[in-house]
Amino acid sequence: MKTEHEHHRQKLDDVTYGEVNSTVLKMLEPPGAGWYVLLGSCLSLLAIGASCWFYQMYAGFGESGKSHPIGWGTYITNFVFWVGIAHSGTLISAVLYLFRAYFRQPIYRLAEAMTVFAVMTAGLFPIIHLGRPWMALWLIPYPNERALWPNFRSPLLWDVFAVSTYFTISATFFFVGLIPDIAAARDQAKTPFRKLLYSVTSLGWRGSHAQWKHYTSAYLIFAAFAAPLVVSVHSVVSWDFAMSIVPGWHATIFPPYFVAGAIFSGVAMVISLAIPLRKAFNLHRLITPFHFDAMSKLILLTSGVVTYSYLTEFYVAWFSNNPYERYQFWFRPFGELWIAFWGMTFCNCIFPQLLWFKGLRTNIAFLFVLSIFINIGMWLERFNIIFQSLTVEYIPAAWGGYNFSWIEVGITIGAFGWFGMWMTLFIKFFPSVAIAEIKEVLPPPVRHADAHGHH
Amino acid sequence: MEGATRAVVGVFSYLDDTVKGIKRIQSTGLNYRVYSPTPLPELEELTFPQKSPVRIVSLIGAITGLAFGWGLAIWCSLDLPLRTSAKDIVSVPAFFVPGYECTILFGGLSTLFAMLYFCRLPTLFAAGYDPRFSNDKFGIVVECGGNQADDVKRKLLESGADDVDVREGL
């Protein structure tokens, strides 16, 4: 019978401690042409986005296409999209840690990096959306000569607290988890630059018994703090909509709907990143079909919750007998923007149902395609919520269209470039698979196994 | 000089040998440190069975954050009493959000600082450390006088150490 320690140790095809080190640290070797091409592409997209933003600041916010009645357009869609992407990282690293779901080990570092960079991307959008980004300072409650304080009853201010707390805690959790792995990279560093970089960023970590004790205690506490953040932060973001009286927004389903959707899109993005990384760096022995199977099941679960949320919205709109709410939910599937609605429904509700088939849950090519579709679907979900509701609010005198502009398209593309740039730099300079934590779930090397094969 | 402090560094490939070595060193009463590439419960039970004080600092930080978040929201609202949508000036449901977020923020940051403090990070030097300890080896580093070094070395070798090095000073 297994002891408690042995129970959570899993065989990863007889991987040894040394193999984990060598496989992961090999990723930090000087990059080939492909990495430079990827980085160059990301920087090009970023340059497009930055140019569009500077032009917007120069020419005025109207250049972005935002106007009455759709005052919240692509920028807030992007903001919610990227905050949603960020949530999955914390779910995989913190929540699954607390639930002792050890399949997370090889993928959680990538997921955490995705979280931090996605929050950095999301945080740009409220500032871009201000039009005059230097006014962003007014969101912070600091003593000023105008004797003003921000409105603490506004969900927009709650967002400031929620998203900045989320960024701080995620970045801290990310960095703390990295410390022992950076130390491993320091001990194998071949160039003076990397030796210095890793010596500084590892803070001199050595892995003594006392250090591990305090580290594991702190890690558990971080996970315990981060787990409620997964639920609270996207609930707060959902209240940007739900605390208003706009038809289609003012619904109590929004917090769980948004949180489930965030995890859904985030896990899909982890798959989108993990598959090329696994192929490029030959990580097949560390990230196995078992891990993809587990992530697929998470996607199936959250797809179910999101589908249920969509059905609930329609049902409650009908049941409420509110003509404005009923019209909104007729307009979404049958109005001018029907393609966005059905695109969302196909990508989020119908296509993921193929994951009921085990063969497809471990089919890497299929999963990659599905993950892209899911992210498109989730972007369309936020588009549907914002654009559709604002297009046909209450009485026809308030209705109106939208003029998409190349500025907002450029900035949207630029955001992907910004995110891609950070991920590309990260995978080449820091260990993007958790070395110490994978070793923690491997059977440790022992000289004498007992008669039952236990250690 | 014979009485000068030495660091005896034992490098082990196997966990069970390391455990044996720790038990032998513990019986001598000498100061020691164990290095491993990953936290292992077998080592933790032997070397540091008591709870870490990091959690106490986290709790204090979280309570401070709770007070700060609520206090900030209430004080600012009373200082500039804007009437919005007929809500109370001190809106308890609304102020849950900044209070809750500040609890997590302060709790998390105090956990970080506590961990760095108790782990003695950042640090420039660690006695007896071998770069193999972050790869696939375990280490026991024992602080002893010059006249005890041979005895410690023998104990570590008998426990199954791959090699044992005696270094000057700690």
Side-chain angles (χ1 to χ4, degrees):
Chain A
M1 194 158 128
K2 285 187 177 179
T3 67
E4 191 197 328
H5 307 319
E6 290 157 355
H7 189 72
H8 75 252
R9 284 174 178 155
Q10 48 186 261
K11 282 205 169 290
L12 277 169
D13 288 339
D14 298 322
V15 174
T16 62
Y17 282 11
E19 186 179 347
V20 175
N21 256 55
S22 57
T23 305
V24 178
L25 294 181
K26 205 169 174 349
M27 297 166 70
L28 305 182
E29 285 176 1
W35 185 84
Y36 287 105
V37 167
L38 182 62
L39 184 65
S41 310
C42 293
L43 289 173
S44 306
L45 295 181
L46 179 59
I48 292 171
S51 315
C52 290
W53 188 12
F54 290 137
Y55 179 74
Q56 180 186 281
M57 279 191 267
Y58 166 75
F61 192 62
E63 290 293 323
S64 69
K66 317 269 175 299
S67 183
H68 178 77
I70 305 178
W72 283 7
T74 324
Y75 297 155
I76 301 302
T77 304
N78 286 335
F79 166 66
V80 182
F81 174 77
W82 284 108
V83 173
I85 296 284
H87 274 64
S88 164
T90 313
L91 174 97
I92 290 174
S93 60
V95 177
L96 293 184
Y97 178 79
L98 294 173
F99 281 105
R100 303 283 191 263
Y102 295 109
F103 71 82
R104 73 183 252 289
Q105 246 75 359
I107 51 168
Y108 89 84
R109 175 65 47 72
L110 187 67
E112 272 179 1
M114 184 190 78
T115 286
V116 173
F117 303 142
V119 176
M120 284 161 60
T121 311
L124 293 174
F125 280 100
I127 298 173
I128 295 171
H129 186 70
L130 278 175
R132 293 175 292 175
W134 48 92
M135 300 289 195
L137 198 60
W138 289 2
L139 286 167
I140 299 165
Y142 70 96
N144 55 75
E145 69 280 3
R146 296 154 304 171
L148 292 175
W149 297 106
N151 177 12
F152 281 86
R153 290 177 287 284
S154 165
L156 302 185
L157 188 74
W158 300 345
D159 257 353
V160 172
F161 280 81
V163 177
S164 45
T165 299
Y166 191 55
F167 173 69
T168 309
I169 298 299
S170 299
T172 305
F173 194 28
F174 179 48
F175 176 64
V176 165
L178 265 171
I179 291 173
D181 296 345
I182 297 175
R186 173 200 65 206
D187 292 339
Q188 313 282 330
K190 296 185 176 70
T191 66
F193 167 70
R194 286 201 182 236
K195 190 86 182 171
L196 177 65
L197 173 68
Y198 299 141
S199 297
V200 168
T201 48
S202 65
L203 306 178
W205 172 271
R206 294 296 194 274
S208 69
H209 65 277
Q211 284 183 330
W212 279 123
K213 181 72 185 192
H214 300 306
Y215 174 90
T216 51
S217 177
Y219 198 85
L220 180 65
I221 295 168
F222 278 125
F225 278 131
L229 273 186
V230 174
V231 176
S232 68
V233 171
H234 222 47
S235 297
V236 169
V237 170
S238 80
W239 288 331
D240 287 343
F241 306 97
M243 293 285 172
S244 73
I245 55 169
V246 174
W249 285 9
H250 190 56
T252 52
I253 192 81
F254 264 49
Y257 166 26
F258 269 50
V259 172
I263 296 163
F264 182 46
S265 61
V267 177
M269 184 66 93
V270 169
I271 292 179
S272 300
L273 297 172
I275 288 174
L277 192 82
R278 179 178 183 257
K279 177 121 175 85
F281 293 105
N282 213 14
L283 300 175
H284 301 78
R285 276 167 61 75
L286 297 181
I287 306 177
T288 65
F290 166 74
H291 300 102
F292 287 108
D293 184 48
M295 285 193 280
S296 299
K297 287 173 182 168
L298 258 180
I299 284 183
L300 199 50
L301 172 69
T302 46
S303 170
V305 177
V306 163
T307 304
Y308 172 77
S309 301
Y310 295 163
L311 294 171
T312 302
E313 280 190 299
F314 276 86
Y315 172 73
V316 170
W318 170 78
F319 186 79
S320 70
N321 211 22
N322 178 325
Y324 308 110
E325 203 72 22
R326 282 184 167 192
Y327 182 72
Q328 171 62 219
F329 284 94
W330 178 89
F331 183 81
R332 284 192 185 188
F334 304 118
E336 291 154 19
L337 300 171
W338 62 271
I339 195 163
F341 176 84
W342 292 108
M344 170 192 83
T345 306
F346 172 76
C347 293
N348 295 346
C349 308
I350 298 170
F351 199 9
Q353 298 310 308
L354 291 173
L355 292 175
W356 285 104
F357 299 102
K358 185 174 166 83
L360 289 178
R361 289 202 298 272
T362 50
N363 183 317
I364 304 300
F366 170 76
L367 286 177
F368 184 72
V369 170
L370 175 68
S371 66
I372 304 289
F373 271 82
I374 288 173
N375 277 310
I376 293 171
M378 286 308 295
W379 195 93
L380 287 174
E381 180 194 282
R382 278 63 176 251
F383 177 93
N384 272 297
I385 290 170
I386 292 172
F387 282 70
Q388 301 252 39
S389 279
L390 293 177
T391 297
V392 288
E393 245 190 290
Y394 292 108
I395 57 176
W399 293 0
Y402 190 81
N403 295 313
F404 285 94
S405 103
W406 58 272
I407 297 282
E408 57 186 347
V409 173
I411 289 178
T412 301
I413 291 171
F416 280 92
W418 164 263
F419 175 78
M421 175 193 74
W422 288 112
M423 286 299 306
T424 308
L425 289 170
F426 173 72
I427 60 174
K428 230 350 132 174
F429 284 96
F430 292 97
S432 43
V433 178
I435 299 173
E437 280 216 31
I438 290 184
K439 289 176 185 170
E440 211 178 335
V441 296
L442 293 177
V446 288
R447 193 189 292 274
H448 306 291
D450 68 18
H452 301 287
H454 296 157
H455 303 137
Chain B
M1 282 168 55
E2 269 211 356
T5 307
R6 298 279 193 275
V8 182
V9 181
V11 179
F12 295 78
S13 290
Y14 299 105
L15 176 63
D16 45 353
D17 291 346
T18 312
V19 167
K20 225 184 297 177
I22 294 170
K23 287 178 179 168
R24 287 192 177 197
I25 297 302
Q26 282 177 335
S27 66
T28 65
L30 294 168
N31 283 338
Y32 69 95
R33 200 174 294 149
V34 178
Y35 293 104
S36 60
T38 188
L40 291 161
E42 292 89 343
L43 298 178
E44 186 187 304
E45 279 159 13
L46 267 183
T47 57
F48 206 126
Q50 67 274 31
K51 291 202 188 301
S52 166
V54 166
R55 62 207 171 95
I56 308 291
V57 180
S58 303
L59 179 65
I60 294 170
I63 292 171
T64 307
L66 181 69
F68 175 79
W70 275 95
L72 178 72
I74 292 170
W75 189 88
C76 292
S77 298
L78 290 173
D79 192 55
L80 181 67
L82 287 172
R83 180 66 67 180
T84 54
S85 306
K87 297 186 181 85
D88 291 337
I89 298 296
V90 176
S91 305
V92 169
F95 294 173
F96 261 103
V97 177
Y100 172 85
E101 301 296 346
C102 287
T103 304
I104 307 255
L105 179 66
F106 280 51
L109 290 176
S110 44
T111 305
L112 171 69
F113 295 131
M115 189 204 86
L116 294 177
Y117 174 78
F118 289 112
C119 288
R120 305 279 187 265
L121 296 175
T123 184
L124 285 175
F125 177 72
Y129 181 75
D130 187 306
R132 290 175 290 175
F133 297 155
S134 64
N135 190 357
D136 56 357
K137 302 284 185 213
F138 303 91
I140 302 177
V141 177
V142 187
E143 179 189 340
C144 63
N147 48 3
Q148 297 166 302
D150 288 337
D151 183 49
V152 170
K153 183 173 175 176
R154 181 183 51 77
K155 282 187 158 73
L156 292 176
L157 284 168
E158 283 171 2
S159 300
D162 295 347
D163 60 75
V164 181
D165 189 25
V166 181
R167 299 182 191 177
E168 302 289 331
L170 196 63

